[in-house]
Amino acid sequence: MAGLNLVVGFLVSVIGFSQLIRWIGKKFLPGRIYRCTVSEFASTLQLCATYMEIRMLVEIGMWGGGFGPDVVSTLLFLLFLAHGFTFNGASANPSVSLQEFLLNDSSFIDTGLKLVVQFGGIEAARLLTRQYWRLELTQFHTIQMMMLDDCSSSLQTTVAQGIFVEALSAFCYHIILLRFQKTRMIYRAPLLALTVTLLAYAGGPYTAGYFNPVLAYALTFSCPGKTWQEYSIVYIAGALIGMLLALFLYNGNIPRLFQKNFLYNQKSKFRTPKAKTSKKVQSPVSKKVQSAPKVAEKPAETKGKKAAKEKSS
């Protein structure tokens, strides 16, 4: 139990350290530069460092401390719930950054800068986590340091099945992200955290269910068992395929590439004005006004008749 407490303490410390980086960057940098650099760097550092610790529990926790999938899934849900409330608009995911670019929500320069900064955050997370592991505060970390140079690959299936699992996971994640992108954070963050937890649990035996090239690059690209090209096809191409399918299915098009909607008919928001009729329709008020003088003429006619009778008499 003491080992698990130290793991949780490390997760909380990383989140707090990343928040400090965000606070400093937000205070001294313009908004656009902050969003493209410091925010993405801190979020990627937070995501990768904490996920490396969670992955260590997945590989060692069962036989090293008796922590099964229930403990790991609970920590994963709470971790991504914290990410949802602390990322401050950052994605720490190249697929999401490219999705924003294809939706015309981000420029080419901003997107390219985000991608570069994200991979810088990976290296910072690796350095931070490995320095923490070298302290060997728990038996988990001691075993992890012994296995560090001979890590096990997360890709436990064929390349074809792996790309299918990653593409399907990315599709599910991005379609939910698009559907609830304008929902309040208090509802969106738990929903996305639950989605990530379920997808990671379902894809764990095959590809570990990363559906994020940043996580895959940080955790498994350097492990033996598969080539770098195979990892790229599964974890990078698979995530991009899933993202493109979700974007096309949700919008019916890809706004950055073409405007025509291939799936949905967009009804016009403005009604066409009806043609004016040639006949003028008189209102009841005007009819009363026109009929009023006729009623007033009757007394005048009766007076004229009386005067004529008096003269004749």
Side-chain angles (χ1 to χ4, degrees):
M1 193 65 183
L4 184 60
N5 292 335
L6 283 173
V7 170
V8 174
F10 174 75
L11 301 180
V12 174
S13 300
V14 170
I15 294 173
F17 177 66
S18 301
Q19 278 292 91
L20 178 62
I21 296 175
R22 292 189 190 95
W23 180 78
I24 295 173
K26 196 171 185 178
K27 187 174 183 180
F28 294 102
L29 292 176
R32 182 181 177 185
I33 297 177
Y34 163 76
R35 288 190 298 270
C36 296
T37 56
V38 175
S39 182
E40 286 292 339
F41 175 82
S43 299
T44 306
L45 168 65
Q46 176 179 324
L47 176 66
C48 292
T50 53
Y51 209 98
M52 288 174 72
E53 189 76 355
I54 292 291
R55 191 64 190 171
M56 181 266 299
L57 273 183
V58 173
E59 296 177 352
I60 304 173
M62 178 61 77
W63 55 272
F67 302 119
D70 53 343
V71 176
V72 174
S73 298
T74 302
L75 287 176
L76 192 63
F77 173 78
L78 295 175
L79 184 63
F80 275 90
L81 185 63
H83 292 338
F85 285 110
T86 58
F87 271 16
N88 195 20
S91 64
N93 188 335
S95 299
V96 177
S97 298
L98 290 174
Q99 175 182 288
E100 294 173 353
F101 172 72
L102 294 175
L103 285 171
N104 292 324
D105 293 336
S106 179
S107 66
F108 178 79
I109 296 176
D110 291 352
T111 304
L113 193 57
K114 288 178 182 179
L115 297 179
V116 172
V117 169
Q118 285 168 0
F119 282 93
I122 294 174
E123 297 302 325
R126 280 178 169 177
L127 178 63
L128 175 65
T129 308
R130 288 176 179 176
Q131 290 297 325
Y132 170 69
W133 286 346
R134 285 192 175 92
L135 299 176
E136 298 184 1
L137 299 178
T138 66
Q139 59 180 351
F140 299 138
H141 301 138
T142 303
I143 298 171
Q144 182 65 28
M145 287 305 301
M146 295 171 61
M147 299 171 54
L148 190 60
D149 296 330
D150 192 21
C151 58
S152 58
S153 174
S154 299
L155 184 57
Q156 299 295 323
T157 184
T158 62
V159 173
Q161 291 179 344
I163 194 172
F164 174 77
V165 171
E166 285 295 301
L168 181 61
S169 300
F171 172 81
C172 296
Y173 175 75
H174 283 275
I175 202 73
I176 292 177
L177 184 65
L178 288 167
R179 174 62 182 83
F180 296 97
Q181 60 183 343
K182 295 182 180 179
T183 308
R184 293 176 60 185
M185 180 58 68
I186 194 171
Y187 303 117
R188 186 170 74 249
L191 180 62
L192 291 176
L194 181 61
T195 302
V196 171
T197 304
L198 293 176
L199 292 175
Y201 181 81
Y206 308 101
T207 63
Y210 293 135
F211 54 90
N212 184 345
V214 159
L215 284 177
Y217 184 83
L219 292 166
T220 197
F221 269 49
S222 59
C223 295
K226 302 290 183 180
T227 64
W228 200 90
Q229 289 78 9
E230 290 174 328
Y231 284 134
S232 300
I233 292 173
V234 172
Y235 291 107
I236 297 179
L240 293 179
I241 290 172
M243 180 270 292
L244 290 173
L245 288 175
L247 181 59
F248 183 76
L249 182 63
Y250 183 79
N251 282 336
N253 65 349
I254 299 178
R256 178 71 67 172
L257 302 180
F258 44 83
Q259 297 296 326
K260 182 180 178 181
N261 197 307
F262 292 93
L263 298 181
Y264 311 112
N265 293 324
Q266 294 181 341
K267 295 181 179 180
S268 177
K269 296 181 180 179
F270 305 98
R271 295 181 179 179
T272 55
K274 296 181 180 180
K276 295 182 179 180
T277 56
S278 58
K279 295 182 179 180
K280 294 183 179 180
V281 180
Q282 294 182 348
S283 62
V285 178
S286 61
K287 289 181 179 179
K288 290 181 180 179
V289 173
Q290 291 179 0
S291 61
K294 293 181 180 180
V295 176
E297 288 175 358
K298 289 181 180 180
E301 290 179 359
T302 54
K303 289 181 180 180
K305 289 180 180 180
K306 289 181 179 180
K309 288 180 180 180
E310 290 177 356
K311 288 181 181 181
S312 60
S313 60

